[in-house]
Amino acid sequence: MAGGKITKAEAVQAPKGGRSDQITSSSVPRLNQALDQAGG
């Protein structure tokens, strides 16, 4: 967080195994990209 804005997302705890790993590995980078585009 910087200046009251979220600047980076990080998965602290996520489900493990199979499809959950795939979803987690792609969702965090997408969230960070959305934050960048929103001026995070």
Side-chain angles (χ1 to χ4, degrees):
M1 195 168 231
K5 293 184 178 182
I6 298 171
T7 56
K8 183 180 177 187
E10 184 178 328
V12 232
Q13 183 176 8
K16 294 287 182 194
R19 182 94 175 107
S20 293
D21 285 344
Q22 294 173 351
I23 293 168
T24 301
S25 68
S26 68
S27 62
V28 172
R30 285 183 185 183
L31 182 53
N32 282 323
Q33 182 180 16
L35 287 169
D36 285 344
Q37 291 175 349

